[in-house]
């Protein structure tokens, strides 16, 4: 079919249709190899089509040339791009060039990007295509020149921040705030006049957001929202970051019908967050596809900022979060990238069942009154080591052991623990076959969500076996700190093996009953 399509193109028969078919065939490596052999380095016919009267022929010819992996085609494509007057296909020339090593063209691409940004007014029907061209140019320039991140410098002056927390345990974070006025929110804590140096030492909040003070943001006007937010966002960024130049951002919508959880909190079982869900963003009678809405908002924000704010879905420095209020307006917030936080930088590697580090830190904080300095500690189901690492952060420990049946988790735990600067003895072994020469003061663990047999009855049996056997590894008056989404299995086991008593239980999530138990051995 490659040969047949090319012969039809050369003969001038339904050129556009055969170019489209040829593009499909060139998506496969075998198709590209066959076509390259057929052409033998002669691109003259395809290059000639860049002057064809039909703009869609020009577009498809450019995209085919981009698949040819020949840098000799770059000047031809760039020259055709600069001469192209039809706006809706200009970005396709850039897509074709982006397939090649276009670094020699970087000065020309930067010049074109600056020229497009300098135009103050575009007609609405033009801006859709121009904005696509600008985004493509930005992507190519950034890919080539790299990203210069700014250095955070906001610890000198008090700031207003919102700390999103576990909804059931907001007070845990509030009581750790040393400076500033505290206001309790439904999903966290607002601190006005906070010391960011102190705030960044708190390990129990899920996210830190900077509220952006601005005029009313009507949610059904994406372009107006972007225009209104540009100035206040830049003022905030210039205050908390050092360094000139543009900031890369992404946009996140939260609230009713935006396809995201309005709660702003992680799933209590670790890495799994809110699903993207709905496809439409709705406010009253206003409906528009979410992607189009975000593009309009981002385009307006970039333009109003004079290109000091650049939309980028990867390697961004800040997230612009728009939270939909009940009255149909937005609250705007700024979330720094993960590099700003740094609290859990050690945790680079995870497995599917890994507990979120903030939940491990919350568990340890809740249990802190019962933790013993210099304790010998065991985690029978340690995963990637998060619970033990967080335990070592809270109160000085003695020897720590982590067990897991999953070998990959153990290897990842070792690497995470090395980054954290901790010492943990990890053993790739089933807890139920483990023996040790001395007894432990503490057990701290995230109980398994499933048993090897995969049934609810098997998981219940696993809990029973755990409480039946764990006493053999514990000293008198030892403490167990259990993070579990099956609190009834814990309660049932403690009733059966009455050498244990529950000192305290903390509910973390009422929907799935995730609970932290502090259990003492009573001998």
């Amino acid at each position: 079919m490659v040969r047949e399509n090319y012969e039809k193109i050369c003969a001038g028969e339904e050129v556009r249709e055969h170019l489209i078919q040829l593009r499909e065939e060139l998506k496969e490596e075998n198709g590209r190899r066959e076509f390259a052999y057929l052409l033998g380095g002669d691109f003259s016919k395809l290059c000639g089509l860049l002057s064809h009267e039909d703009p869609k022929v020009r577009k498809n010819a450019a995209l085919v040339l981009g698949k040819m992996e020949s840098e000799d085609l770059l000047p031809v494509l760039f020259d055709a791009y600069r001469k192209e007057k039809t706006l809706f296909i200009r970005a396709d020339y850039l897509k074709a060039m982006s397939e090649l090593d276009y670094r020699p063209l970087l000065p020309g691409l930067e010049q074109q990007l600056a020229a497009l940004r300098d135009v103050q007014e575009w007609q609405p029907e033009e801006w859709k295509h121009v904005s696509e061209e600008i985004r493509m140019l930005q992507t190519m320039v950034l890919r080539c020149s790299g990203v210069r991140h700014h250095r955070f410098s906001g610890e000198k002056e008090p700031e207003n921040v919102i700390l999103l927390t576990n909804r059931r345990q907001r007070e845990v974070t509030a009581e750790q705030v040393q400076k500033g006025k505290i206001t309790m929110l439904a999903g966290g804590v607002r601190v006005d006049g906070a010391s960011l140096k102190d705030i960044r030492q708190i390990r129990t909040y899920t996210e830190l957001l900077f509220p952006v003070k601005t005029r009313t943001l009507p949610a059904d006007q994406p372009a107006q929202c972007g225009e209104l937010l540009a100035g206040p966002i830049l003022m905030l960024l210039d205050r908390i970051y050092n360094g000139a130049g543009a900031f890369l951002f992404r946009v996140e919508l939260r609230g009713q019908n935006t396809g995201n959880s309005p709660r702003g909190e992680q799933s209590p079982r670790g890495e799994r967050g809110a699903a993207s869900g709905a496809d439409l963003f709705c406010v009253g009678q206003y409906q528009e596809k979410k992607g189009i809405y975000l593009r309009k908002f981002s385009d307006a924000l970039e333009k109003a900022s004079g290109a000091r704010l650049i939309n980028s879905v990867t390697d961004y420095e800040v997230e612009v979060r728009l939270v939909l209020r009940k009255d149909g307006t937005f609250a705007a917030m700024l979330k720094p990238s993960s590099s700003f936080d740094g609290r859990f930088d050690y945790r680079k590697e995870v497995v599917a069942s890994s507990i979120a580090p903030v939940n491990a830190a919350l568990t340890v904080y809740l249990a802190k009154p019962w933790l013993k300095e210099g304790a010998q500690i065991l985690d029978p189901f340690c995963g990637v080591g998060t619970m033990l690492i967080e335990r070592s952060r809270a109160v000085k420990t003695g020897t720590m052991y982590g067990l897991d049946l999953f070998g990959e988790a153990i290897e990842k735990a070792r690497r995470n623990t090395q980054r954290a600067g901790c010492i943990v003895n990890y053993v790739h072994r089933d807890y139920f076959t483990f023996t040790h020469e001395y007894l432990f003061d503490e057990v701290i663990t995230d109980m398994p969500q499933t048993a090897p047999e995969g049934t609810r009855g098997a998981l219940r049996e696993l809990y029973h076996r755990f409480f039946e056997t764990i006493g053999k590894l514990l000293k008198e008056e030892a403490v167990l700190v259990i993070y579990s989404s099956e609190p009834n299995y814990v309660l049932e086991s403690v009733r059966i093996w009455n050498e244990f008593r529950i000192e305290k239980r903390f509910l973390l999530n009422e929907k799935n009953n995730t609970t932290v138990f502090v259990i003492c051995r009573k001998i």
Side-chain angles (χ1 to χ4, degrees):
M1 285 298 291
V2 169
R3 176 180 292 275
E4 181 180 337
N5 279 314
Y6 184 59
E7 288 175 350
K8 295 284 187 182
I9 291 167
C10 292
E13 299 178 18
E14 298 180 324
V15 176
R16 185 204 303 178
E17 289 75 9
H18 290 293
L19 279 170
I20 292 172
Q21 291 177 32
L22 182 58
R23 280 182 57 201
E24 286 297 311
E25 290 161 352
L26 295 183
K27 290 180 179 180
E28 301 296 329
E29 184 177 350
N30 288 340
R32 294 193 296 273
R33 188 183 299 114
E34 180 184 349
F35 192 47
Y37 179 78
L38 176 64
L39 292 179
D42 181 7
F43 304 112
S44 57
K45 180 61 182 179
L46 290 170
C47 290
L49 292 176
L50 297 177
S51 301
H52 196 279
E53 62 182 7
D54 183 347
K56 292 186 178 179
V57 168
R58 302 196 297 271
K59 161 188 170 175
N60 285 287
L63 292 170
V64 167
L65 287 169
K67 294 293 185 182
M68 292 297 94
E69 300 179 355
S70 173
E71 270 66 49
D72 292 339
L73 294 170
L74 278 170
V76 178
L77 287 166
F78 190 55
D79 184 59
Y81 162 67
R82 288 192 297 183
K83 293 177 180 177
E84 183 59 62
K85 302 300 183 183
T86 305
L87 291 179
F88 79 86
I89 66 170
R90 287 177 61 85
D92 292 295
Y93 287 94
L94 295 170
K95 291 176 185 176
M97 287 183 275
S98 71
E99 301 269 1
L100 307 170
D101 183 2
Y102 58 85
R103 283 176 292 182
L105 300 179
L106 185 59
L109 296 172
E110 291 176 326
Q111 185 179 21
Q112 179 63 21
L113 179 58
L116 290 175
R117 285 173 171 163
D118 282 343
V119 178
Q120 295 301 311
E121 294 293 336
W122 293 96
Q123 294 300 316
E125 64 272 13
E126 295 176 325
W127 179 245
K128 174 183 176 181
H129 306 303
V130 172
S131 65
E132 185 179 359
E133 183 180 350
I134 288 174
R135 281 195 298 275
M136 194 67 214
L137 283 165
Q138 283 177 175
T139 300
M140 294 173 73
V141 169
L142 289 172
R143 188 189 303 162
C144 212
S145 60
V147 179
R148 299 183 184 92
H149 284 292
H150 298 76
R151 182 172 60 84
F152 180 76
S153 61
E155 294 185 344
K156 298 177 183 178
E157 300 294 333
E159 289 288 345
N160 299 337
V161 296
I162 292 174
L163 306 177
L164 299 186
T165 69
N166 179 284
R167 295 171 68 88
R168 300 284 306 198
Q169 301 294 336
R170 296 171 299 158
E171 293 77 7
V172 167
T173 296
E175 68 187 29
Q176 297 175 74
V177 175
Q178 299 179 19
K179 298 178 182 178
K181 178 185 175 183
I182 296 173
T183 303
M184 304 302 290
L185 307 176
V189 180
R190 179 180 173 119
V191 186
D192 292 330
S195 164
L196 290 180
K197 184 177 181 180
D198 294 339
I199 291 291
R200 292 168 78 188
Q201 305 305 310
I202 298 173
R203 306 183 72 79
T204 55
Y205 63 84
T206 56
E207 292 183 299
L208 181 148
L209 304 173
F210 293 93
V212 181
K213 188 175 181 181
T214 185
R215 292 163 53 193
T216 301
L217 299 173
D220 59 349
Q221 299 292 327
Q224 185 180 354
C225 283
E227 292 166 1
L228 290 172
L229 273 174
I233 287 176
L234 286 174
M235 288 179 61
L236 176 58
L237 290 174
D238 286 340
R239 191 168 71 243
I240 63 176
Y241 282 100
N242 276 340
F247 290 86
L248 302 189
F249 73 91
R250 72 180 290 269
V251 185
E252 178 76 11
L253 296 177
R254 293 285 176 95
Q256 299 173 1
N257 300 319
T258 61
N260 294 93
S261 166
R263 301 183 59 176
E265 63 183 35
Q266 275 181 297
S267 165
R269 285 303 306 187
E271 300 308 301
R272 297 183 296 280
S276 58
D279 184 45
L280 297 179
F281 175 68
C282 312
V283 182
Q285 300 300 313
Y286 176 82
Q287 288 192 344
E288 190 166 10
K289 285 190 178 298
K290 188 176 176 182
I292 298 174
Y293 185 95
L294 291 175
R295 189 189 71 203
K296 287 185 175 182
F297 171 81
S298 299
D299 287 348
L301 189 58
E302 286 186 9
K303 191 173 182 181
S305 72
R308 286 202 60 209
L309 296 171
I310 296 177
N311 188 25
S312 174
V313 294
T314 59
D315 208 21
Y316 56 90
E317 291 183 89
V318 293
E319 176 186 292
V320 178
R321 182 170 297 180
L322 302 175
V323 181
L324 182 63
R325 299 188 178 106
K326 291 181 179 179
D327 65 358
T329 64
F330 276 137
M333 303 177 196
L334 212 61
K335 177 188 174 184
S337 67
S338 57
S339 60
F340 160 86
D341 192 329
R343 294 174 300 159
F344 306 111
D345 280 355
Y346 68 84
R347 223 282 286 273
K348 303 292 186 187
E349 302 183 62
V350 300
V351 294
S353 60
S354 296
I355 187 173
V358 68
N359 289 334
L362 177 59
T363 297
V364 172
Y365 188 89
L366 292 170
K368 193 172 181 179
W370 292 272
L371 304 182
K372 175 183 174 183
E373 186 171 337
Q376 312 294 318
I377 303 167
L378 172 67
D379 185 344
F381 312 104
C382 68
V384 297
T386 311
M387 196 71 88
L388 288 170
I389 294 170
E390 290 302 316
R391 168 61 182 87
S392 71
R393 294 265 198 268
V395 179
K396 184 178 179 180
T397 66
T399 304
M400 294 191 290
Y401 274 80
L403 314 177
D404 208 283
L405 189 59
F406 188 24
E408 179 186 344
I410 288 292
E411 290 305 313
K412 290 181 174 181
R414 289 180 175 133
R415 292 192 285 270
N416 287 338
T417 303
Q418 184 178 20
R419 278 188 290 270
C422 298
I423 298 176
V424 178
N425 300 292
Y426 288 109
V427 183
H428 178 201
R429 181 177 296 180
D430 185 352
Y431 153 73
F432 295 107
T433 67
F434 178 70
T435 59
H436 199 255
E437 62 185 11
Y438 60 79
L439 302 177
F440 292 92
D441 300 294
E442 289 177 20
V443 166
I444 184 166
T445 197
D446 170 18
M447 290 295 286
Q449 300 174 60
T450 60
E453 295 84 351
T455 65
R456 295 281 298 168
L459 183 60
R460 180 170 177 262
E461 179 62 24
L462 183 147
Y463 271 75
H464 286 189
R465 288 180 63 204
F466 170 76
F467 278 93
E468 180 183 16
T469 57
I470 192 63
K472 300 173 184 177
L473 296 172
L474 299 178
K475 295 180 182 178
E476 294 184 6
E477 300 182 356
V479 172
L480 290 79
V481 180
I482 304 291
Y483 179 97
S484 173
S485 58
E486 301 290 348
N488 289 336
Y489 292 168
V490 175
L491 295 171
E492 184 179 278
S493 299
V494 170
R495 283 196 299 269
I496 296 171
W497 286 276
N498 59 11
E499 65 181 285
F500 302 103
R501 71 173 183 274
I502 296 174
E503 288 289 316
K504 195 75 174 180
R505 56 189 292 189
F506 304 92
L507 179 63
L508 302 190
N509 189 298
E510 63 276 8
K511 287 189 175 180
N512 60 15
N513 293 321
T514 303
T515 305
V516 172
F517 289 91
V518 179
I519 300 171
C520 292
R521 191 182 187 207
K522 51 179 185 180
I523 298 296

